[in-house]
Amino acid sequence: MPNLVKANMLSRKTRSFVSIFGIALSVALLMVAVGLINGNIRDLANRIAYIGADIMVSKDSFGAFYPNELVNDRYAEKIRAVDGVEIATPVLIESTSYLNPKGTERIRQFNYVYGIDFAEYNNVGAGFDFISGGPFEEGEAGKLELIIDRQMAQANKIRLNDTVEMLGFDWKVVGITKEALGARIFVQRDELTEIARPGRQGVATLFYVRATDPNDVSGVVARLKSELGDGWAVRNINDLFSVFTSSALGLREFTIAMIGICAVICFAVILLSMYNSIIERTREIGILKSLGATRRFIVQEILKEALLITAIGIVIGYILTYGGLLLIKNLFPLLEMEMTPDWMIISATIAFVAALLGTLYPASRASRLDPVVALSYE
Amino acid sequence: MSNMDNDKLIIVDNVTKTYRMGEVKVQALRGISLTVNRGEFVAVLGPSGCGKSTLLHIIGGLATPTSGSVTVDSVDMAHSRDGCRTRFRREKIGFVFQRFNLFNILSAGDNIRLPLKIAGTLRDDSSEDKVREMMDLVGLSHKMNSRPLQMSQGEQQRVAIARALICRPSILLADEPTGNLDSENSDRVLGLMKKLNDTLGQTIMMITHNHEAAAVADRRIVMRDGAVIDHNA
């Protein structure tokens, strides 16, 4: 059976390859960008969920993911007084750009550090599950202590009792936990306050709350909102992924921009490729017309070719994305990237729609070619 | 319509064709009238630029006349809409061109199958038999899977003839079919066209400027400067 689409693609291998690669690259670009963002947000939300608390309370001033306004930790008392609250523990959250065994090269790596009141934090949920070491010790005066999770220990080659550098100070690793409960790095809140917020005492970024009755979390949320009033954010931990994706600054705009870039690249690749192809094949279109091919037949053949190029491009885009995922996981073990079916469908839909739009003009032009002019085209 | 009119497959009546080339008007056809009977092999003879190809394009529905009427197999080609002329070309006309106009990216067999695909009849049970029959007819059944560029020019033109005939057209319109061929291949192609006319009764209208090629036709129409100067040379 004469397959003009396949024959055209095989006879113009470079053009086909470049077009397929262009589509694949734009699909992979979108999926890697969105996958990295969503992967890390989901990872953060999951880590917070591992804490086992039911509610997160903070001032309603979300920065990247956490609030950027500190509050007095005496609000913990007010929260504890609300009906249905069993435990409320303050956490001071700071960020660090490196954490490495002392004497080794500093590698830039963004991480959150939780300053916690160990006993209370350990009780707010499931608690720490140490695979080596344990809680903070009452060691020598001035010796700072730190707990990290297993993944961080492996990624940064840190062992129990190592001295590590962080925030300009030396810290002794006293415990390594199985899971990251909210953050990957934990220190005592008063020590973190002294280092990161000198001159201030008794401050917190947020409070994790456990409800007395797990079935009454939404009731406790409502009562906390009522008690604390305006300017406070009281969030069910289970809603955090959607809260982060909707409240993180610029995230929605970034995702829309990536979708736009993907669509524009797909549109331009197919438009240029098919337009160029129509010019090259002007005479062939004339032959088809002399054989009695209808405008619809010609449009269909061009559409089929564009959609086949796009379909192959999408599949290769998925493969590139998966390759990117493995590469990122290998190079940056603490970075999470996800490749979800919904974004596979979204990226494929964007590519198909953009390709379809990009094909319209060349296909319409081809179908309207004067057969006599087309047949005499050199 | 009388029986005599039924025998007239092509009726061209006072056809003119004027092209615009920028500000200049070029009159390619100047009031041409002619008829071609069913089963006739007619050669249209004339020097380059006399309007032969324009006449062929109008009869084949690839172009429309500026004035006058063209009736082919009882269809008014001058006043038909584009879709109607396209369907007519698909069902009633077979074109053969000087430069063969085969798809070099397809095999000979697939080139012949292409009109069936366009007509939507490729999946019919008899389609492969038709393709084999055509390849046999032009003596190229052993070249079914060869690409045009792997074949001689004479063979390519024979494939083009097979492609033109696969849908059993009422008329075969050949535009300088031997113009790119050496004398040996010209003789084979002309012999094939004569055989098609003699044995199958295929109506053929052939454009040529070559008197030797025109000699195989039953009748020769001579054109000069966009007009017919002899209907039966």
Side-chain angles (χ1 to χ4, degrees), chain B residues 2 5 20 25 56 60 65 84 86 102 117 128 142 144 160 162 164 168 172 175 189 202 207 228:
Chain B
S2 67
D5 281 345
R20 268 192 178 278
K25 281 185 179 178
L56 194 87
C84 177
T86 300
L102 296 173
K117 182 179 181 179
E128 271 312 294
H142 59 294
M144 187 73 95
R168 305 277 151 87
L172 183 67
D175 189 356
V189 166
Q202 177 67 54
I207 300 293
V228 172

Side-chain angles (χ1 to χ4, degrees), chain B residues 221-233:
Chain B
I221 296 170
V222 182
M223 285 180 68
R224 184 171 297 160
D225 298 331
V228 172
I229 57 168
D230 191 343
H231 282 86
N232 198 1

Side-chain angles (χ1 to χ4, degrees), chain A residues 13-308:
Chain A
K13 289 190 184 73
T14 307
R15 181 183 66 84
S16 303
F17 173 78
V18 169
S19 307
I20 288 169
F21 189 68
I23 299 283
L25 214 56
S26 65
V27 167
L29 184 72
L30 174 64
M31 289 190 62
V32 168
V34 173
L36 269 174
I37 290 170
N38 284 350
N40 284 291
I41 292 176
R42 199 178 299 280
D43 178 52
L44 183 58
N46 286 343
R47 275 189 270 136
I48 292 173
Y50 281 139
I51 298 170
D54 299 312
I55 299 163
M56 191 168 97
V57 178
S58 68
K59 291 298 273 184
D60 192 8
S61 58
F62 263 62
F65 297 107
Y66 289 117
N68 50 25
E69 184 181 343
L70 297 182
V71 291
N72 195 301
D73 62 6
R74 277 178 301 188
Y75 277 102
E77 291 306 319
K78 195 171 182 181
I79 293 168
R80 284 183 200 117
V82 171
D83 184 29
V85 172
E86 188 179 352
I87 299 172
T89 182
V91 177
L92 175 65
I93 302 172
E94 299 293 343
S95 61
T96 174
S97 56
Y98 61 94
L99 177 79
N100 54 287
K102 189 168 173 59
T104 62
E105 189 190 354
R106 270 186 196 173
I107 297 168
R108 287 192 71 81
Q109 183 190 69
F110 179 87
N111 275 297
Y112 285 116
V113 184
Y114 269 26
I116 57 172
D117 300 343
F118 186 85
E120 218 168 31
Y121 191 83
N122 201 37
N123 282 336
V124 79
F128 288 104
D129 183 1
F130 287 98
I131 56 171
S132 59
F136 302 114
E137 300 158 0
E138 293 303 324
E140 324 155 24
K143 189 80 176 171
L144 300 168
E145 294 175 338
L146 171 145
I147 295 168
I148 55 174
D149 81 314
R150 178 172 50 180
Q151 222 176 325
M152 171 66 83
Q154 285 170 351
N156 291 14
K157 298 183 175 60
I158 297 170
R159 288 166 303 179
L160 187 69
N161 296 325
D162 274 357
T163 300
V164 297
E165 292 179 305
M166 184 183 80
L167 299 170
F169 287 83
D170 291 347
W171 305 72
K172 182 187 174 193
V173 179
V174 294
I176 297 175
T177 66
K178 194 174 172 187
E179 301 289 354
L181 299 187
R184 297 190 185 281
I185 308 168
F186 301 89
V187 297
Q188 300 196 67
R189 186 163 63 97
D190 54 351
E191 289 176 352
L192 185 61
T193 310
E194 211 168 295
I195 288 168
R197 308 280 171 173
R200 297 186 70 175
Q201 277 301 315
V203 288
T205 307
L206 50 80
F207 302 89
Y208 285 115
V209 175
R210 190 167 90 190
T212 314
D213 178 2
N215 297 320
D216 185 35
V217 174
S218 50
V220 177
V221 167
R223 287 192 289 280
L224 279 168
K225 280 181 177 172
S226 166
E227 179 64 29
L228 293 167
D230 291 342
W232 286 82
V234 182
R235 296 185 169 98
N236 190 322
I237 294 285
N238 292 332
D239 301 334
L240 274 189
F241 179 72
S242 57
V243 169
F244 283 160
T245 50
S246 62
S247 63
L249 285 175
L251 198 59
R252 190 168 162 271
E253 290 77 5
F254 178 78
T255 307
I256 291 170
M258 290 311 298
I259 288 173
I261 289 169
C262 172
V264 167
I265 294 175
C266 289
F267 174 82
V269 163
I270 290 294
L271 177 70
L272 291 175
S273 166
M274 298 318 291
Y275 185 78
N276 187 34
S277 167
I278 298 309
I279 300 291
E280 278 179 18
R281 283 149 58 187
T282 299
R283 192 177 178 83
E284 291 177 8
I285 291 161
I287 300 169
L288 286 174
K289 290 204 159 197
S290 76
L291 295 174
T294 58
R295 287 182 177 188
R296 188 175 164 192
F297 180 90
I298 290 166
V299 168
Q300 274 177 352
E301 288 298 306
I302 294 164
L303 267 181
K304 274 188 223 168
E305 186 175 332
L307 294 182
L308 184 60

Side-chain angles (χ1 to χ4, degrees), chain A residues 2 8 283 289 292 378, chain B residues 86 89-90 99 101 105 117:
Chain A
N8 272 322
R283 192 177 178 83
K289 290 204 159 197
E378 295 294 337
Chain B
T86 300
R89 274 201 304 276
R90 193 164 62 236
R99 287 170 56 181
N101 282 346
I105 53 177
K117 182 179 181 179

